[in-house]
Amino acid sequence: MNIALTSWWRSLKAKWARHKRTCLNPLPLGGHPGYGEAAMVKVDKDLVIEPTMGGDILIVDDKLPNLRALSIMLSQHGYHVRGAPNGPTAMMIVQTRPPDLILLDINMPGMNGYEVCRQLKASPTTADVPIIFISALDALDDKVTAFAAGGVDYITKPFQIEEVLARVETHLSLHFLKKRLVTQNSQLQKEIAEREEAENALQQMNETLEEQVNQRSLELIQKNNELLAEIRQRQQKEKELLESEERFRNTFEQAAVGISHTAPNGRILRINQRFCDILGYSPDEMINLHYQEFTYPEDLAKDVTLAQQVLAGEINTYSLEKRYFRKNGDLIWVNLTVSTVRGEDGRAKYFIAVIEDISERKQMEDAMRRAQKLESLGVLAGGIAHDFNNLLTAIMAETSLALLKARPDSPARPNIQQIMRVAERSAQLTHQLLAYSGKGHFEKKPLNLNTLIEDNFSLLEATLPKSVVLHAELAPELPAIEADAGQIQQVVMNLIINAAEAYEGQGGSVNVQTTVCTLSEKTMIASTTLAPGGYILFTVADTGKGMEEEIITRIFDPFFTTKSAGRGLGLAAVQGIIHDHQGEIAVFSAPGQGTTFQVYFPVVEQKHVVEQELSLRAFSGTGHILVIEDESIIRAALIDILQMAGFSTVEAENGRVALEKFQNHLHEVDMVILDMTMPVLSGDKTLKALREKKADLPILILSGLGEVEIASEFWQMAQVSFLPKPFHVEQLIQMIHQILPADAPRASK
């Protein structure tokens, strides 16, 4: 037996030595003329290591120039390249010898790239070949289809050579790594089998030796001293065994994670207290319970499959995140790790399952995903608001021109004024969109809360279910508050919608009320930071199901919601807006008694301003102005307004044309009106170029995105002003007069 073990050990050492020795031999990557050079690879009799550079690449593209260009580029970087002008040809090529990677075009006659990819992935010989789509299609749907077909990457034409090389190298490295891992795993399994064989041999030797010892012990049993020594030894082992069992029992019972022993048939044999606490059962209730009885149905199939693989010996352990039902029906997330204990015959005796409650982490992950989705919606809202602001600028400008040109007694004048009012309301909507996207600027000014509610009453009614009726009781002659109209509208809508949802589809009414109140030291509401003084009290009340005290204390927490589809941001945002306006919000509710929200806004003194009729008398000025605006309708309206106001103008549809015209009129232009979002040459680059030509040139920036989108460096420049779109004509002329006072010298003179 010793001789056989020694021979086996020498054999194992020799194999390990061969595994560590490698030699470098040239391995050609292909004989196609003009395609690459030979690559260097490490070759070993037991383990083949693929090269980190080089590889066999198949390019499928019906455009021969594209095919030729990619072939030359990849060949020059050490790759062996084969080409196919269409899908059927590619399928024939891969059957002869599968490549290491495929670059696949999408739009091809006969068989498009998606179908080629699906067929390749369906074939066992090419299923593992990485496929990179390379196409001029850049729509999200095209990319989703490509990845669904089995592509590992997507490169959009036109592309940078470095990008293609980097992605090709990355996916080839991953492909070769996977092949190496398969080979190494096979070698490792072989060595494990040999080691197990050796261990079995050692175990047999130990059994033989134990028999010899037992025989010797029987012969010496009469020796009293040896017998006593053997007894003492056994007693010591029993003591150690008892201590070991006690340590295991304490570890099992006091563990911070849930642990259970489960029979191969799925019944629980033993369970610790933490496992019971997580699921809300007692230990007696859990014993003999089948784990499928508290597993969420959609998570059961994967768990069963992995457990069967463990029983079959295909894997030793597995981990997954899954959902369990608590005893009270609540759904929780756990991280489950399962291993098995086997008997001497190799058959599984029981599973060891370890669970950790990760529900809180999952909630945070869901909250983060929702926040990212909201951020994406904000970007979309900002883009829509920008385009809509351009349209409103043209509408308001043309409407102002119509009012200026219309006779005071013209019957069309009221209709034109109504168009202007509608445009102003639309401008408020875009203002809210920009605020939602984080690109807008908030403007606090005296605001009548009654007027805001009345103007939006129809919109508020339309947002409520038909079974819910909206009532408004507005105090007459309500004083003004200092507020941003868009933000206060958001507060009003959120509170009213929340009140309507309290009825959960049943009928009811939402009551809105405004009153004036005075808070003193004695009448201050609890837990408030308000100072004594006059306040507008805005109240929203419902008679719905109400809330418990535990929920009331958390309703303003970010991401807390009682709605299945809620985001938990509405009331948190409402509270933030109210505090930003030096106000306070209070809530009163009880189960079955409805809910009342009270919002306090400080009263401000509002000076009475008499609105003046728009007239040509206000438009008097001189100077030469360069107007740079890519929207032709806005540019034309600006030119008309400026010329009616007495200014001479020169226009440009983009930054490049503007620079040429400015150079031609360098000593005539007194100021520039500049749009920031333009093709060909952007507004910020145009501004910098203009200032390089004339450092003290006054510039008025127009933008539909808001001040936060304007680079901060421009605000540090002298004589740079900003006017957000859309705007009134009088705002534009007033700002021009501030930039070009009547007594200031003119470059045009």
Side-chain angles (χ1 to χ4, degrees):
M1 183 64 70
N2 289 336
I3 296 175
L5 182 61
T6 302
S7 175
W8 172 85
W9 179 248
R10 288 176 179 172
S11 173
L12 183 61
K13 290 178 63 179
K15 290 181 180 180
W16 178 248
R18 289 199 307 273
H19 178 68
K20 294 194 293 182
R21 291 197 302 271
T22 58
C23 60
L24 292 176
N25 295 321
L27 180 63
L29 294 179
H32 197 287
Y35 289 110
E37 299 295 338
M40 301 301 290
V41 298
K42 295 181 178 181
V43 177
D44 183 80
K45 294 179 180 179
D46 297 323
L47 181 65
V48 178
I49 301 177
E50 299 284 352
T52 58
M53 290 293 293
D56 185 14
I57 298 176
L58 174 61
I59 302 173
V60 187
D61 197 321
D62 64 324
K63 303 297 187 298
L64 294 182
N66 294 344
L67 183 62
R68 188 177 297 107
L70 278 172
S71 298
I72 293 173
M73 177 188 71
L74 294 171
S75 297
Q76 290 175 348
H77 285 81
Y79 297 102
H80 172 236
V81 182
R82 290 182 285 167
N86 52 56
T89 303
M91 298 302 295
M92 293 176 60
I93 291 175
V94 298
Q95 294 304 321
T96 58
R97 187 176 78 252
D100 296 318
L101 184 140
I102 298 174
L103 292 176
L104 180 58
D105 189 20
I106 294 177
N107 286 335
M108 295 184 295
M111 181 187 296
N112 62 31
Y114 298 139
E115 184 59 27
V116 173
C117 182
R118 294 187 188 100
Q119 292 192 18
L120 290 173
K121 290 301 177 180
S123 174
T125 59
T126 56
D128 293 332
V129 177
I131 299 174
I132 299 177
F133 284 93
I134 181 164
S135 172
L137 301 176
D138 62 347
L140 178 60
D141 290 342
D142 297 320
K143 297 179 181 180
V144 170
T145 303
F147 286 114
V152 299
D153 209 337
Y154 194 108
I155 301 175
T156 304
K157 299 177 183 178
F159 51 77
Q160 297 292 331
I161 293 177
E162 293 81 2
E163 178 189 12
V164 175
L165 291 173
R167 297 194 185 193
V168 166
E169 173 65 14
T170 298
H171 290 292
L172 276 176
S173 298
L174 291 172
H175 181 59
F176 291 149
L177 177 60
K178 180 178 179 181
K179 294 173 64 177
R180 284 203 304 272
L181 289 175
V182 171
T183 303
Q184 291 173 347
N185 184 61
S186 176
Q187 180 66 23
L188 182 59
Q189 293 295 333
K190 179 180 178 182
E191 293 178 358
I192 290 174
E194 293 175 348
R195 182 169 297 177
E196 289 178 348
E197 181 181 354
E199 290 175 352
N200 291 333
L202 285 174
Q203 183 178 359
Q204 292 178 1
M205 292 178 60
N206 287 334
E207 291 174 354
T208 302
L209 290 174
E210 286 177 359
E211 291 177 359
Q212 295 175 357
V213 170
N214 290 334
Q215 183 65 32
R216 184 67 55 87
S217 297
L218 291 174
E219 295 173 356
L220 301 176
I221 195 170
Q222 296 179 356
K223 296 182 180 180
N224 189 49
N225 57 342
E226 295 181 4
L227 180 60
L228 293 175
E230 183 180 351
I231 293 173
R232 287 193 297 269
Q233 184 179 12
R234 290 182 178 180
Q235 290 176 342
Q236 180 63 27
K237 287 183 178 180
E238 290 176 357
K239 180 181 178 181
E240 292 175 354
L241 179 60
L242 291 174
E243 291 176 351
S244 176
E245 291 178 351
E246 182 66 21
R247 286 194 298 271
F248 167 77
R249 186 180 300 105
N250 291 334
T251 301
F252 184 85
E253 294 296 340
Q254 304 300 325
V257 294
I259 306 174
S260 72
H261 293 171
T262 305
N265 64 5
R267 298 288 176 181
I268 294 177
L269 303 174
R270 186 177 184 184
I271 195 164
N272 72 347
Q273 187 61 46
R274 178 54 182 161
F275 203 118
C276 296
D277 292 341
I278 292 175
L279 294 183
Y281 290 92
S282 68
D284 291 339
E285 292 173 325
M286 293 292 292
I287 297 300
N288 287 325
L289 195 66
H290 200 289
Y291 75 92
Q292 296 184 8
E293 296 180 42
F294 50 82
T295 295
Y296 188 65
E298 293 182 7
D299 299 342
L300 186 59
K302 184 176 181 181
D303 197 3
V304 171
T305 299
L306 292 172
Q308 290 174 347
Q309 291 177 355
V310 171
L311 287 175
E314 298 174 5
I315 57 176
N316 296 322
T317 183
Y318 68 88
S319 295
L320 77 159
E321 294 180 354
K322 61 178 294 187
R323 286 161 288 184
Y324 280 151
F325 286 112
R326 287 176 53 85
K327 182 180 178 180
N328 61 5
D330 291 344
L331 198 62
I332 61 170
W333 277 95
V334 299
N335 185 74
L336 170 68
T337 301
V338 177
S339 57
T340 185
V341 174
R342 298 183 180 276
E344 294 181 357
D345 58 357
R347 299 177 62 183
K349 296 174 64 178
Y350 57 86
F351 292 108
I352 299 177
V354 179
I355 66 168
E356 180 183 4
D357 189 347
I358 59 171
S359 300
E360 185 174 350
R361 191 197 79 195
K362 281 290 187 179
Q363 291 174 358
M364 293 300 298
E365 291 174 354
D366 290 341
M368 287 297 298
R369 283 193 291 269
R370 289 195 293 267
Q372 291 170 356
K373 187 179 295 184
L374 287 175
E375 182 180 357
S376 300
L377 289 175
V379 173
L380 176 61
I384 294 173
H386 169 264
D387 293 342
F388 198 44
N389 273 339
N390 277 336
L391 297 175
L392 288 175
T393 300
I395 293 172
M396 293 176 68
E398 293 293 347
T399 305
S400 297
L401 286 173
L403 286 172
L404 288 171
K405 295 177 181 180
R407 297 190 310 273
D409 59 347
S410 172
R413 195 172 188 84
N415 302 99
I416 300 174
Q417 291 172 336
Q418 181 64 19
I419 293 174
M420 177 63 77
R421 285 191 289 270
V422 173
E424 291 171 348
R425 290 283 301 279
S426 300
Q428 292 179 0
L429 292 176
T430 59
H431 173 77
Q432 293 175 37
L433 281 175
L434 285 173
Y436 178 77
S437 67
K439 298 178 180 178
H441 66 288
F442 299 118
E443 181 181 1
K444 294 180 181 179
K445 57 185 179 182
L447 173 71
N448 188 291
L449 189 56
N450 282 356
T451 302
L452 184 143
I453 295 173
E454 291 169 348
D455 289 346
N456 291 275
F457 198 83
S458 297
L459 175 63
L460 292 169
E461 285 185 314
T463 61
L464 302 184
K466 293 183 178 181
S467 59
V468 177
V469 180
L470 179 63
H471 296 292
E473 184 181 346
L474 308 180
E477 299 181 1
L478 194 71
I481 62 174
E482 188 81 11
D484 177 86
Q487 288 190 304
I488 300 304
Q489 184 179 16
Q490 181 180 349
V491 170
V492 172
M493 292 193 68
N494 274 351
L495 292 179
I496 291 176
I497 291 173
N498 275 349
E501 290 177 345
Y503 292 104
E504 297 182 334
Q506 302 298 320
S509 63
V510 175
N511 300 307
V512 176
Q513 184 183 48
T514 59
T515 57
V516 182
C517 66
T518 301
L519 296 181
S520 63
E521 294 289 347
K522 295 182 179 180
T523 60
M524 297 295 289
I525 61 176
S527 304
T528 181
T529 58
L530 298 178
Y535 288 87
I536 300 298
L537 174 58
F538 171 61
T539 304
V540 178
D542 66 76
T543 57
K545 64 177 183 179
M547 294 181 290
E548 297 178 352
E549 184 64 28
E550 180 183 358
I551 295 178
I552 295 176
T553 59
R554 299 186 61 191
I555 58 173
F556 296 113
D557 293 347
F559 304 118
F560 175 77
T561 179
T562 59
K563 307 171 188 175
S564 60
R567 297 187 296 268
L569 294 174
L571 289 177
V574 165
Q575 186 185 55
I577 292 172
I578 294 171
H579 287 172
D580 187 54
H581 287 75
Q582 287 74 52
E584 189 58 81
I585 182 170
V587 57
F588 305 93
S589 183
Q593 299 182 16
T595 302
T596 299
F597 283 93
Q598 293 182 344
V599 181
Y600 294 82
F601 292 111
V603 172
V604 296
E605 294 184 4
Q606 183 178 10
K607 297 180 180 180
H608 183 67
V609 179
V610 179
E611 294 187 1
Q612 297 181 352
E613 182 74 15
L614 191 63
S615 67
L616 288 171
R617 294 181 179 179
F619 291 178
S620 59
T622 59
H624 198 62
I625 300 177
L626 171 59
V627 179
I628 311 172
E629 169 63 62
D630 63 310
E631 295 287 347
S632 59
I633 188 171
I634 299 177
R635 189 170 66 251
L638 289 173
I639 295 298
D640 284 350
I641 292 170
L642 294 175
Q643 290 179 353
M644 289 183 65
F647 298 98
S648 59
T649 60
V650 59
E651 60 181 289
E653 64 271 21
N654 59 60
R656 185 173 299 170
V657 174
L659 293 178
E660 294 175 358
K661 291 190 176 183
F662 182 74
Q663 186 65 38
N664 297 334
H665 300 271
L666 181 62
H667 301 295
E668 302 173 16
V669 175
D670 295 302
M671 70 169 289
V672 171
I673 296 178
L674 173 64
D675 182 31
M676 289 303 290
T677 307
M678 297 186 298
V680 183
L681 190 66
S682 63
D684 55 345
K685 293 181 180 179
T686 303
L687 188 150
K688 293 177 182 178
L690 289 171
R691 279 301 178 89
E692 289 177 358
K693 295 179 181 293
K694 189 174 182 179
D696 59 348
L697 176 66
I699 297 176
L700 174 60
I701 297 174
L702 304 181
S703 177
L705 289 178
E707 292 180 80
V708 296
E709 289 295 291
I710 309 302
S712 58
E713 60 181 298
F714 297 147
W715 300 120
Q716 301 174 3
M717 297 182 180
Q719 299 193 47
V720 172
S721 304
F722 174 76
L723 181 62
K725 296 179 181 178
F727 48 79
H728 289 281
V729 170
E730 51 267 32
Q731 291 178 301
L732 173 65
I733 299 302
Q734 183 181 6
M735 186 161 287
I736 293 176
H737 284 323
Q738 292 175 356
I739 297 172
L740 295 177
D743 56 351
R746 298 290 190 266
S748 55
K749 297 182 180 180

